[in-house]
Amino acid sequence: MSRIESVLEHIEPRLPAGAIVTDETERKTYECDGLAVHRTVPALVVRVTSTAEVALAVRACHEFDVPFVARGSGTGLSGGAQPHAEGVLIVMATMRDILDIDLIAQRAVVQPGVINLDLSNEANPDGYYFAPDPSSQSVCSIGGNVAENSGGAHCLKYGFTTNHVTGCTLVTAQGEIVEIGGQAPEYPGYDLLGVLCGSEGTLGIVTEVTVRLTRLPEAVETLLIGFDSTDAAGEAVSDIISAGIMPAAIEMMDALAIEAAEKAVACNYPEGAGAVLVVELDGPAIDVELERETVIARARDHHAGEIRVAVDDVERGLIWKGRKSAFAAVGRISPDYIVQDGVIPRSRLGPVLASISTIAEECGVRVANVFHAGDGNLHPLVLFDGALEGQAELAETASGRILDLCLSEGGSITGEHGVGSDKAKFMPRMFTNEDLDTMQILRCAFDPSHLSNPGKVFPTPRLCGEPPRRTSGEHPLQTAGKAELF
Amino acid sequence: MTEARPGFARPDSVEELSELMTGAHRDGRSVAVCGGGTAFDDHPPGRTPNLLIDMGGLDQVIEHSPGDLILVAGAGAAISELNRVAGTGGQELLPDFPADRTDSGATLGGAIATRAVGPRRIGRLPLREVVLGVTVVLADGTIARAGGKVVKNVAGYDLAKLMTGSWGTLGIIADVAIRLYPKPQTEGFVELPGAEAALEVLGSQVAPSAVEIDRSPGGRASAVVMVEGLPESVESRTARMVDTFPGAAPGVRPSWWSRRAQAPVTIRASVSPALVPELVAQISQLEDTIGHPIQLRGSAMGVFDLGIGAADADPTIATRVVLEHLRSWSRRQLSATLLCAPAAVWDEVDAWGEVPGFGLMRTIKDQFDPDGLLSPGRGIGGL
């Protein structure tokens, strides 16, 4: 009997009918997440409805040495939920209950499959919301947000998912159920929640989450500002930040991204603009009003064209629609595209965008730029036609070179999409062997057998108990003169 | 090979720190770290280490980029000095940090290792969220980096958060990249009559930077709200509070602001915000039970320091009663731990209670420091 058959034999009698998927065609529907280029059909799929069922499945995997992968809504863009061919895919989307909302405590307790926006919709009538808002918020799950430490357009001001989680129930890689944190703001000891958020499912499976709810702001104002060029828009962003304003969001799109959005959703952005900024201000009404005047003045300093202030939720919605649909929209102007996710120090925006266009030219591909301009998180969209021979490879090369560019500026290979299976190979460009080995020490504490989402995040994990490689000398980024110690 | 007195070392670079640690590891010598020395009285005193490392030599500002909202500095740099540097760009550092420790020379590394908290955690991100990246030296001398120096980054495990609040028991923080905040132009204060009013402000549209509750021994609790921002905004929001909340009055920054309660024993109580008024009420009852005064001070978000006892009496029994009472009162929505106490009290009470996830913490400690050489006895529950 194979190991996977042993798992099946063990869990089948203990789970409700329909929980286990063995049929190949049905298993195939889970072969990828939002990054469809990486596909693997899982050996077995289990749709769970409780912490106890997750623990049962994981214990069986642990006993028979079978890898397992947790999957939420499957909207991730780095292959973080890509199944394992000899493993069990644990589908969390079926754990979709909001268990408790306590407005005085400003807390909610949810199952991990709860859709991000559903929680906000539930809390909105009482004046609260769940602050992390990735563009996929109408479909992505809160468990996935925890795994990826999701950000979104508003994280510059409100922080990532990790800032909004105060407790969780964790099923460890050995199948034990551990309660971590709770409703209080802080608990003694090591920051386990801090390391679980963003660990991409490699430290166990979170089966219940206590999150903070945030008061809806008194006023929100959204501005759409057209500029001649991304340079001018970038300089306006710098001036807004140095004026001491912390906008809820500052997003930028370049001409190609605007063209795509226009074709897809007719968002009616300023015609002929070389770049647009979407600036959102929120807070007490008086602050928003004062800040709006400053933003407009700073934008005019950089020869802003049209400045549109959304007067109501409908107009605000339309402005955001252009931005939030940008990834999908490029499908209108290109048969294929790669969504890249890199980070640079924001002040380097101008030179980096210039280098990106050089890279695009040299590789013979087009690049549309959409990004969170407030925090330097770039989303270059590398456009190509997969039907033309060699184009996919060229796009892949351009995409990789953009990441190298981000690193050479002292940035990061991912700001919010995660490493997953897609970028594991880039980790050694950002970190030394010592850095990666140190992360593995943590991994070994949680998952010594490497069964929880193996093959993600790290290129070549060493075995637990194996002595670390010791080398000495400078960090690769330092050697290249690209970064100071950080 | 325990020595009566520890050896001292003062490395001037990360590499020197690494060499010291490699040597200590090879010889099986235990190591403790000293920054500004402002948290020596917090947490259990621990066992005397063989080697005490003074981080004062690692105090350089490595990078300061106001446009990117970042500052990178050595762990031994003083918070007050870094605040001065950040101020040159119209920004500030560590908005959420106790003033009494800053005034006494607290360092960046020490602030992070001890996860210090101050009032302004409501309007800003807490300390753990502004630490963007760290360089740490592990027990065996390995130099490892995690995170980065950009404000947004999800590559790899967030070891910076693991180090935040680890009290030197997992590795020594050598340098840190931290996110800066624009310095608000003005601040304003409003006094409120009690804990319920404080909670109402939290749920209002006032957008406070801080809501602090202070209760002198035997007295009534009062709350002070801080708002920050542009002068017109501060004026308008202050006036609105005075109009809206019964008993509210314009105030000034209280003398106790951002300073911890001074008492022989301090207990840290963290509760769900919903339980804050009830916690304050419990303190009056507890005072009657133990026959000792209790000072309560902290954030309406639910993090309080309770100062217990008088200098002339043994506070051991009172401490035990308060800890046990609070823990039995509400389990998962509260944690009550000993923060600061005479050595004798540490030995006589259950300082930590039931810590969620302690088993995992134990395993992490064993993985990072299998020989137990780092800051022995300084962590929670013997970590």
Side-chain angles (χ1 to χ4, degrees):
Chain A
M1 194 188 298
S2 73
R3 289 181 295 166
I4 200 84
E5 284 164 352
S6 302
V7 169
L8 181 61
E9 189 188 75
H10 183 81
I11 62 175
E12 200 166 26
R14 295 171 174 83
L15 287 173
I20 296 175
V21 180
T22 50
D23 173 68
E24 195 184 345
T25 317
E26 207 178 334
R27 276 187 287 126
K28 203 162 181 300
T29 60
Y30 293 102
E31 67 183 349
C32 66
D33 61 9
L35 187 71
V37 290
H38 297 305
R39 292 168 193 265
T40 314
V41 179
L44 193 64
V45 175
V46 182
R47 291 191 283 241
V48 291
T49 56
S50 68
T51 298
E53 288 178 9
V54 175
L56 172 77
V58 171
R59 269 199 308 274
C61 288
H62 176 66
E63 186 177 338
F64 300 107
D65 199 29
V66 168
F68 59 89
V69 178
R71 173 191 163 104
S73 295
T75 58
L77 293 170
S78 56
Q82 184 189 348
H84 195 288
E86 282 105 43
V88 177
L89 185 75
I90 301 179
V91 176
M92 309 298 291
T94 30
M95 290 181 75
R96 196 173 272 204
D97 289 333
I98 297 173
L99 302 171
D100 183 43
I101 289 187
D102 182 341
L103 295 173
I104 298 175
Q106 305 188 339
R107 298 286 189 275
V109 182
V110 301
Q111 290 190 320
V114 168
I115 300 300
N116 174 301
L117 193 59
D118 288 354
L119 177 58
S120 283
N121 287 341
E122 193 70 24
N124 277 171
D126 296 306
Y128 285 85
Y129 73 115
F130 180 55
D133 66 334
S135 293
S136 54
Q137 71 181 133
S138 60
V139 281
C140 67
S141 71
I142 290 175
N145 296 162
V146 171
E148 301 295 312
N149 192 17
S150 300
H154 294 81
C155 62
L156 179 67
K157 183 168 179 180
Y158 292 100
F160 301 91
T161 299
T162 180
N163 188 37
H164 302 274
V165 175
T166 62
C168 75
T169 303
L170 174 77
V171 171
T172 68
Q174 295 83 33
E176 284 167 33
I177 299 168
V178 180
E179 302 288 341
I180 297 170
Q183 294 223 338
E186 64 170 57
Y187 288 84
Y190 302 145
D191 188 355
L192 300 177
L193 287 172
V195 293
L196 282 171
C197 285
S199 61
E200 304 195 22
T202 60
L203 301 180
I205 300 180
V206 167
T207 58
E208 200 173 296
V209 196
T210 303
V211 298
R212 283 179 33 192
L213 295 174
T214 304
R215 191 77 173 89
L216 279 167
E218 182 178 40
V220 182
E221 234 167 70
T222 310
L223 292 85
L224 179 71
I225 310 173
F227 290 89
D228 284 348
S229 64
T230 50
D231 276 1
E235 282 162 23
V237 173
S238 291
D239 280 6
I240 291 166
I241 301 257
S242 51
I245 292 179
M246 187 62 66
I250 315 186
E251 306 284 303
M252 199 196 294
M253 289 166 69
D254 71 3
L256 198 51
I258 298 169
E259 183 195 326
E262 209 62 65
K263 282 203 175 127
V265 297
C267 47
N268 192 28
Y269 279 9
E271 210 169 307
V276 292
L277 285 183
V278 176
V279 181
E280 192 154 280
L281 304 164
D282 71 8
I286 181 162
D287 290 64
V288 169
E289 195 182 321
L290 294 165
E291 288 174 358
R292 179 191 58 214
E293 294 316 309
T294 309
V295 168
I296 290 175
R298 293 295 185 270
R300 293 232 160 94
D301 288 347
H302 295 280
H303 313 291
E306 187 181 345
I307 299 179
R308 203 181 296 166
V309 183
V311 294
D312 55 22
D313 284 348
V314 177
E315 261 193 78
R316 184 184 348 279
L318 198 59
I319 289 177
W320 274 112
K321 196 174 177 188
R323 164 61 188 90
K324 293 208 172 188
S325 64
F327 290 1
V330 296
R332 296 294 187 100
I333 59 167
S334 173
D336 300 290
Y337 61 94
I338 297 171
V339 180
Q340 192 45 283
D341 168 45
V343 189
I344 54 162
R346 200 197 44 75
S347 60
R348 298 290 298 159
L349 207 54
V352 167
L353 287 179
S355 302
I356 289 178
S357 31
T358 310
I359 291 171
E361 226 164 88
E362 286 172 7
C363 295
V365 292
R366 290 190 302 165
V367 176
N369 284 293
V370 177
F371 42 86
H372 308 295
D375 49 30
N377 186 190
L378 312 177
H379 291 307
L381 298 148
V382 183
L383 315 184
F384 66 99
D385 184 351
L388 299 176
E389 194 174 326
Q391 275 264 302
E393 290 72 21
L394 284 172
E396 196 63 51
T397 305
S399 186
R401 281 181 61 188
I402 291 172
L403 279 191
D404 283 335
L405 174 66
C406 291
L407 286 176
S408 73
E409 294 286 347
S412 169
I413 58 170
T414 170
E416 56 184 5
H417 295 174
V419 178
S421 53
D422 192 43
K423 286 186 172 171
K425 61 180 180 291
F426 286 98
M427 286 290 276
R429 299 197 201 171
M430 183 162 169
F431 296 107
T432 61
N433 288 337
E434 285 83 358
D435 303 344
L436 295 172
D437 279 349
T438 305
M439 292 180 195
Q440 287 298 313
I441 295 176
L442 184 71
R443 171 79 180 263
C444 292
F446 279 85
D447 178 19
S449 313
H450 283 209
L451 294 177
S452 191
N453 210 8
K456 312 295 167 64
V457 188
F458 302 102
T460 47
R462 71 181 164 92
L463 297 173
C464 295
E466 190 184 316
R469 293 182 291 271
R470 287 298 304 274
T471 55
S472 55
E474 284 193 317
H475 197 272
L477 292 176
Q478 269 178 282
T479 313
K482 291 168 178 174
E484 304 267 5
L485 294 177
F486 55 74
Chain B
M1 51 178 293
T2 307
E3 296 164 18
R5 292 179 55 188
F8 286 93
R10 193 177 191 274
D12 286 320
S13 66
V14 181
E15 290 70 27
E16 272 181 37
L17 174 61
S18 165
E19 279 167 33
L20 276 169
M21 297 291 286
T22 307
H25 182 251
R26 186 185 53 228
D27 301 340
R29 287 154 63 87
S30 61
V31 177
V33 200
C34 174
T38 63
F40 271 144
D41 292 336
D42 292 353
H43 263 221
R47 295 185 292 283
T48 306
N50 301 129
L51 178 65
L52 184 61
I53 298 181
D54 174 355
M55 297 296 286
L58 285 158
D59 64 347
Q60 301 82 3
V61 172
I62 298 163
E63 186 177 345
H64 174 218
S65 177
D68 298 314
L69 306 170
I70 61 139
L71 190 144
V72 188
I79 302 278
S80 53
E81 169 59 13
L82 295 178
N83 248 327
R84 190 194 61 74
V85 173
T88 61
Q91 294 171 341
E92 60 182 5
L93 168 97
L94 291 187
D96 183 38
F97 194 69
D100 46 353
R101 286 183 57 191
T102 307
D103 293 349
S104 307
T107 60
L108 181 58
I112 293 166
T114 60
R115 195 168 57 209
V117 295
R120 293 198 289 170
R121 59 184 304 151
I122 298 176
R124 312 291 170 83
L125 300 175
L127 175 65
R128 68 193 274 274
E129 273 276 284
V130 296
V131 179
L132 303 174
V134 288
T135 301
V136 289
V137 177
L138 302 184
D140 65 356
T142 299
I143 300 172
R145 296 175 179 86
K149 56 167 193 172
V150 282
V151 296
K152 198 169 180 185
N153 174 20
V154 293
Y157 294 148
D158 197 344
L159 297 180
K161 285 200 176 61
L162 187 64
M163 294 298 154
T164 306
S166 64
W167 285 82
T169 61
L170 297 177
I172 299 182
I173 301 167
D175 57 53
V176 181
I178 196 154
R179 175 184 165 163
L180 302 173
Y181 271 88
K183 206 173 166 65
Q185 288 184 13
T186 32
E187 57 185 36
F189 294 88
V190 170
E191 288 169 18
L192 294 169
E196 285 84 3
L199 218 54
E200 273 183 58
V201 171
L202 277 187
S204 76
Q205 291 294 1
V206 169
S209 293
V211 183
E212 289 285 284
I213 296 174
D214 180 62
R215 180 189 173 282
S216 299
R220 272 179 53 82
S222 66
V224 175
V225 181
M226 179 199 213
V227 288
E228 296 175 298
L230 300 166
E232 300 94 314
S233 161
V234 167
E235 200 182 314
S236 140
R237 285 187 284 155
T238 318
R240 196 206 303 190
M241 267 189 281
V242 172
D243 291 344
T244 316
F245 300 105
V252 292
R253 177 189 282 251
S255 59
W256 49 263
W257 190 258
S258 188
R259 284 164 203 281
R260 300 195 320 198
Q262 295 298 316
V265 170
T266 308
I267 286 172
R268 170 68 52 84
S270 177
V271 294
S272 162
L275 295 179
V276 166
E278 219 178 311
L279 173 72
V280 174
Q282 295 279 331
I283 297 305
S284 299
Q285 287 177 24
L286 272 166
E287 263 180 346
D288 294 341
T289 311
I290 62 175
H292 275 288
I294 302 178
Q295 163 102 52
L296 171 143
R297 186 178 296 162
S299 168
M301 283 274 279
V303 185
F304 294 94
D305 286 346
L306 310 177
I308 297 175
D312 57 349
D314 179 359
T316 308
I317 292 169
T319 303
R320 186 183 299 141
V321 171
V322 172
L323 285 171
E324 285 174 3
H325 177 85
L326 291 176
R327 285 172 192 157
S328 64
W329 171 52
S330 175
R331 218 187 112 264
R332 247 200 118 193
Q333 299 182 42
L334 169 139
S335 92
T337 56
L338 200 52
L339 181 67
C340 173
V345 176
W346 284 105
D347 296 337
E348 295 296 319
V349 302
D350 175 5
W352 311 107
E354 192 186 317
V355 177
F358 186 75
L360 281 169
M361 294 179 198
R362 176 88 259 168
T363 315
I364 291 171
K365 169 69 176 175
D366 290 344
Q367 289 281 339
F368 274 84
D369 181 21
D371 306 315
L373 297 177
L374 294 177
S375 301
R378 286 286 273 160
I380 72 155
L383 292 178

